[in-house]
Structure formats: C-alpha cells, structure tokens
Amino acid sequence: MPLIAAAPDLSGASLLDITSSYFHRGGPIMYPIVIVSIIALTVVLERIFWWSREGARKRTATLNRVYDAVQQGDLAQASLLAGDSTDPRVRVIYEGLNHHHESMQGALQLAAAMELQRASRFLPVMDTIITLAPLLGLLGTVTGIMGAFNAVQGELNVDAVSGGIGEALIATACGLAIAMFSLIPYNFFSSKVEFLKFELETAATNLEVMIRSLGEKRAGAVASPATKP
C-alpha cells in the first residue's frame, strides 16, 4: 500500500488546489515548515513597517538646532529641543545632556544600546529561521527517502516510491525557499542596524566634543581675568 499518493494531474487546477496538493505530498514535515514560513513572513513585514516608521521619524533639522544650542552654551535650550523628539539620534543626545555633569558617556552608551536593541528586535528569530528551515527540509528529505526505501521491500510499488521521492524534493525545496526568502531581508535589516549604530556613535561623539570644548572655553574665560595684573 503506498505511503504517499503519486503526483495528481493538476492541469486546470486553481492556485489554492495546487498549493494544497503540494502541501499534502510534502509529508508531515510540511506542518512545521508552514509554521516557520508564517513566522518569517510576519517578522519581515513587521520590520519593514518599523524601519519605514523610524525613517519618517528622523528630524535632522532638530538635530542641527540642538547642536547649535550646545555650541552656544545654552544646554537648557538644547535639552528642551531634544526632549520631545522622535529621532533616535536626538533621544540619545537628550540623555547625554541630562547627565553632562556626571556620567555623560555612560548615559550616551546606555541610550544608544537601548535604541540598537529596539532596532535589532526579531533579528535573532530571522537568524534562527535561516538555519532551521533548510534543516527541516533536510529532515523531510530523509523521511521521504525512508518511505521510498520501505516501499521497495517486498513487492515494488512504483506509486509509493515516487511519492516518497516527491515528499523529499518538496520538503527540501520549501525549506530552502524559506531560508532564501529570510536571508535577504535579514542582511538588509542588519545593515540598517549597523548604519544606525554609526549614526548614534557619531551623534554621541559630536556631543562629547562640543561639551568638552564648551568646558575648555568656560575654563579659559575664568582663568583670563585671574591672569591680569
């Protein structure tokens, strides 16, 4: 008795019928493969939406106004400008301004780490899917070939053999397809995180340099009257 039916005639069938046929011919391993594919699609769509929203939240003009206020020595105004910003660069600077008397560098690093944690959300899930999906496909290959070999024992059943080979090929193809589908967005989102890290480090460094320069100017202004005869 065949374990899996041979390939049916799908000529004239709808896309749903074709998909359902391949799903059933792929064997039991198709159930976890479908679950993994749904998770991958959900994560990709969520990250696309998140990065699109973050791109719209950037306020370069506000960032420049904050820099101008710091250079002029008006730290209170700079903090006021940065307080309600949705730009992650400005939010990091805001935390640094609130701790410029003590632990400014630590505050900047903590704020940047929080922004990067939000940006890299679900990337470990995608990384796992890229590894897991081909392994599930390989497992389907093994179970399909095992079914084909079991059908060879005793009287040869061509339908069972072809069904087992079909199960192996379908599971492998689906696993590889999910991995490839996830790999490109994963690399794209990873590059976005790296660029955001560069932007946050640049903003933090600029603030540190400006605060240090402002402190040196104030120290020089205090020292100048003391040196006069």
Side-chain angles (χ1 to χ4, degrees):
M1 181 177 181
L3 299 175
I4 300 174
D9 183 11
L10 297 176
S11 58
S14 65
L15 179 61
L16 180 60
D17 293 335
I18 295 174
T19 303
S20 176
S21 174
Y22 276 107
F23 174 81
H24 288 98
R25 290 166 56 200
I29 201 65
M30 291 300 294
Y31 288 96
I33 286 179
V34 168
I35 293 174
V36 168
S37 66
I38 293 173
I39 295 173
L41 180 61
T42 302
V43 171
V44 169
L45 292 177
E46 190 277 339
R47 288 290 86 187
I48 290 175
F49 173 78
W50 191 89
W51 280 109
S52 299
R53 186 183 59 184
E54 286 299 299
R57 286 181 172 182
K58 284 193 175 182
R59 299 290 184 268
T60 302
T62 301
L63 179 64
N64 292 332
R65 287 199 297 270
V66 171
Y67 284 154
D68 292 339
V70 173
Q71 287 179 328
Q72 295 170 7
D74 193 350
L75 299 185
Q77 178 63 20
S79 180
L80 183 63
L81 289 170
D84 297 327
S85 178
T86 58
D87 191 322
R89 301 168 299 176
V90 180
R91 287 198 296 261
V92 168
I93 289 179
Y94 175 75
E95 294 298 326
L97 289 172
N98 289 342
H99 298 83
H100 70 277
H101 290 299
E102 55 182 11
S103 303
M104 183 181 71
Q105 186 177 20
L108 290 171
Q109 291 176 349
L110 179 59
M114 293 177 63
E115 295 293 341
L116 291 174
Q117 192 277 333
R118 292 173 60 245
S120 59
R121 186 184 181 191
F122 296 130
L123 286 185
V125 175
M126 295 186 67
D127 189 21
T128 301
I129 289 174
I130 292 170
T131 304
L132 179 61
L135 292 178
L136 289 174
L138 180 60
L139 179 59
T141 301
V142 173
T143 57
I145 295 299
M146 288 174 61
F149 273 110
N150 288 334
V152 174
Q153 296 178 2
E155 184 180 353
L156 178 63
N157 190 319
V158 178
D159 289 341
V161 173
S162 62
I165 295 174
E167 174 183 341
L169 294 176
I170 292 172
T172 303
C174 291
L176 291 175
I178 294 171
M180 289 186 290
F181 169 79
S182 303
L183 180 60
I184 296 176
Y186 173 78
N187 288 334
F188 174 73
F189 296 141
S190 297
S191 67
K192 297 282 285 185
V193 172
E194 288 299 317
F195 184 70
L196 177 62
K197 181 180 179 181
F198 168 76
E199 288 184 309
L200 296 179
E201 289 177 348
T202 301
T205 301
N206 287 340
L207 179 64
E208 288 180 319
V209 170
M210 290 179 183
I211 294 295
R212 188 180 303 113
S213 177
L214 183 61
E216 292 174 354
K217 288 181 180 179
R218 289 177 176 176
V222 172
S224 295
T227 57
K228 293 182 180 179

